[in-house]
Amino acid sequence: MSLEALQSSSPRIDLRMGIKWLRGREEMKWEGGFTAWLIGKKKSGKSNGGELISVKCKNAGANTIFDTCASGDGENFAWLRSPYKENVLIMHGSGMKVTAPCHTMHIAEFNLKECEKYWVVITNPALFRDRRDYYTALAYMMDNHFMKRTVFNTSIVHLIREARKILMSRFIAGKATNIALAQEQFIEMHNESEHTAIANVIDALRPNSIVPDVRELANYTFIKTFGAMRIPRDMFNILKKVQPQWMRRMPQDRFVLYTDSDNVGVGTLDLVPWHHKRGEPILKTVGVEIRPQEEKEGGEDAKELTQVMLPTAQDTKLKEKIIEENTTLHLLMLELHKEGLTYRQIWERLISEKKMPANESFHKVRYHMLGRCQCKVEV
């Protein structure tokens, strides 16, 4: 059967997500582009929830699930024992020999149109020689394919199990010179989701590990067990409907839901039957073998993304301009601080005088004033 015929015959997987609304009510919409954000402590079931939401999107008509930002223990290889196992693609880097019961492709051959013929596309740190190759591949896929998806018939899902890897990929690939710029690019990915028909399903450990622009504007926020972590102030309005003690101790199959329409609910979700269990030899279980091999000069294994990802003269000029603008802003912050203004007062002054965008985070002032930036200023 051809890949096109397989894609049209994608199986429907019935996994239950029940919701009891405590404030307001709305119908959950899994089609098109949106952002779903899952937060909670380790072992709270976030990854399981991310897979279930991805399946919901696939049932609603999404073409492909791209599972790219997983941990190095190979958790996303568990798709190879799901009902989607007949049509999975594994993306790997240079110098790696991959034997698997599914299709494999070198990352340099990545083409979004071709990859959308598969039900699930997987990549993982274990499929690359080192972290540099892996992060470069993530940046390549985002910049050259995901962000340029302007012509489409159906949506796709981008399952991001570890959000920090997206930010790290911006640094490693030379696409961002500081954390603020990397966060801006992350925000752009979120803002463009409706225009690119990409459903971003983001898994994050700590509530504040996601920048406020994404955190506050996510269509759906799924709160798993908080444990001893501090509940952020911007979630206090949820506590009017949900007991904080329950949020800290709820079982893995429970969640609290907060939507961008200010609705609050609690619910249960099924445990995904194929989900990876910690400590499980998943590669052996699904029949995947990954081994490094010597690269042949000029041969197939010598394919690299280096030339694709190296900053061009235009990129370098843009970075210099951004650093210069940040330096000017930094100097202004220092002057206001000498006048006795607090960091928050500086932030409010700069926004009121339109020296900073109205949606800029207060943390940008702290970032500069504490000398964590790359500005050409002595703090």
Side-chain angles (χ1 to χ4, degrees), residues 198-261:
I198 298 177
N200 294 302
V201 183
I202 305 171
D203 173 342
L205 183 65
R206 298 179 64 84
N208 293 330
S209 62
I210 299 294
V211 288
D213 298 65
V214 175
R215 195 169 69 234
E216 295 169 7
L217 300 177
N219 301 86
Y220 304 122
T221 300
F222 291 85
I223 303 170
K224 303 293 287 179
T225 311
F226 265 123
M229 290 193 297
R230 183 177 63 86
I231 299 175
R233 182 172 293 276
D234 55 7
M235 291 185 179
F236 280 8
N237 65 331
I238 300 174
L239 302 181
K240 297 176 182 178
K241 296 294 181 179
V242 184
Q243 289 293 329
Q245 292 87 347
W246 188 76
M247 288 177 65
R248 295 188 183 282
R249 296 183 175 89
M250 66 178 112
Q252 283 192 352
D253 64 341
R254 302 296 181 90
F255 63 85
V256 175
L257 173 62
Y258 180 62
T259 76
D260 59 350
S261 300

Side-chain angles (χ1 to χ4, degrees), residues 93-136:
S94 296
M96 304 300 291
K97 181 68 175 178
V98 181
T99 305
C102 64
H103 292 86
T104 63
M105 181 186 291
H106 193 286
I107 187 63
E109 298 172 349
F110 181 82
N111 179 288
L112 196 55
K113 186 176 180 181
E114 288 299 312
C115 288
E116 287 187 37
K117 296 176 182 177
Y118 297 89
W119 295 336
V120 180
V121 176
I122 296 169
T123 193
N124 187 281
L127 294 163
F128 295 82
R129 291 175 302 186
D130 52 40
R131 295 284 170 152
R132 176 184 174 278
D133 280 6
Y134 171 64
Y135 286 130
T136 301

Side-chain angles (χ1 to χ4, degrees), residues 65-77 79 88-94 96 98 103 105-108 110 120-128 133-139 141 146 158-161 165-166 290 305:
I65 298 170
F66 288 86
D67 194 341
T68 62
C69 300
S71 62
D73 64 357
E75 60 180 338
N76 55 348
F77 286 102
W79 288 109
V88 174
L89 173 66
I90 293 177
M91 307 291 302
H92 65 87
S94 296
M96 304 300 291
V98 181
H103 292 86
M105 181 186 291
H106 193 286
I107 187 63
F110 181 82
V120 180
V121 176
I122 296 169
T123 193
N124 187 281
L127 294 163
F128 295 82
D133 280 6
Y134 171 64
Y135 286 130
T136 301
L138 288 183
M141 286 190 287
F146 291 143
H158 191 191
L159 176 55
I160 304 171
R161 297 180 191 249
K165 288 187 175 178
I166 292 292
I290 306 170
L305 291 176

Side-chain angles (χ1 to χ4, degrees), residues 223-326:
I223 303 170
K224 303 293 287 179
T225 311
F226 265 123
M229 290 193 297
R230 183 177 63 86
I231 299 175
R233 182 172 293 276
D234 55 7
M235 291 185 179
F236 280 8
N237 65 331
I238 300 174
L239 302 181
K240 297 176 182 178
K241 296 294 181 179
V242 184
Q243 289 293 329
Q245 292 87 347
W246 188 76
M247 288 177 65
R248 295 188 183 282
R249 296 183 175 89
M250 66 178 112
Q252 283 192 352
D253 64 341
R254 302 296 181 90
F255 63 85
V256 175
L257 173 62
Y258 180 62
T259 76
D260 59 350
S261 300
D262 198 37
N263 296 324
V264 178
V266 294
T268 60
L269 46 78
D270 285 343
L271 297 178
V272 177
W274 62 81
H275 187 66
H276 171 252
K277 299 177 179 61
R278 277 189 170 83
E280 176 189 10
I282 187 65
L283 295 179
K284 183 178 180 181
T285 303
V286 299
V288 175
E289 183 182 357
I290 306 170
R291 61 181 187 274
Q293 63 178 11
E294 293 184 8
E295 297 183 41
K296 299 175 183 178
E297 186 176 354
E300 184 180 353
D301 296 327
K303 296 171 185 172
E304 293 288 352
L305 291 176
T306 307
Q307 292 185 344
V308 178
M309 296 307 300
L310 278 176
T312 62
Q314 184 177 2
D315 289 336
T316 304
K317 191 172 182 179
L318 176 61
K319 287 175 189 174
E320 290 176 352
K321 181 182 177 182
I322 292 171
I323 291 174
E324 184 178 344
E325 290 175 353
N326 281 337

Side-chain angles (χ1 to χ4, degrees), residues 342-360:
T342 64
Y343 290 175
R344 184 164 292 278
Q345 288 171 336
I346 293 172
W347 173 63
E348 292 170 350
R349 172 81 71 84
L350 292 175
I351 288 179
S352 65
E353 294 179 356
K354 297 184 178 180
K355 301 287 178 59
M356 280 173 59
N359 62 349
E360 188 64 78

Side-chain angles (χ1 to χ4, degrees), residues 3-117:
L3 289 175
E4 289 82 357
L6 267 175
Q7 182 60 274
S8 63
S9 62
S10 173
R12 180 178 181 84
I13 306 174
D14 291 321
L15 293 173
R16 188 178 62 90
M17 176 186 288
I19 303 171
K20 177 183 179 181
W21 294 102
L22 303 178
R23 183 173 70 206
R25 179 181 292 274
E26 67 180 271
E27 181 182 355
M28 302 294 285
K29 296 180 180 179
W30 304 116
E31 64 275 1
F34 65 88
T35 298
W37 177 43
L38 299 101
I39 55 170
K41 70 171 190 173
K42 293 179 180 178
K43 301 181 181 180
S44 62
K46 300 188 302 300
S47 188
N48 176 83
E51 289 180 24
L52 187 144
I53 293 171
S54 300
V55 169
K56 290 284 187 185
C57 295
K58 192 81 175 72
N59 289 343
N63 244 16
T64 308
I65 298 170
F66 288 86
D67 194 341
T68 62
C69 300
S71 62
D73 64 357
E75 60 180 338
N76 55 348
F77 286 102
W79 288 109
L80 288 169
R81 61 185 178 195
S82 75
Y84 298 138
K85 62 185 178 183
E86 294 180 26
N87 196 21
V88 174
L89 173 66
I90 293 177
M91 307 291 302
H92 65 87
S94 296
M96 304 300 291
K97 181 68 175 178
V98 181
T99 305
C102 64
H103 292 86
T104 63
M105 181 186 291
H106 193 286
I107 187 63
E109 298 172 349
F110 181 82
N111 179 288
L112 196 55
K113 186 176 180 181
E114 288 299 312
C115 288
E116 287 187 37
K117 296 176 182 177

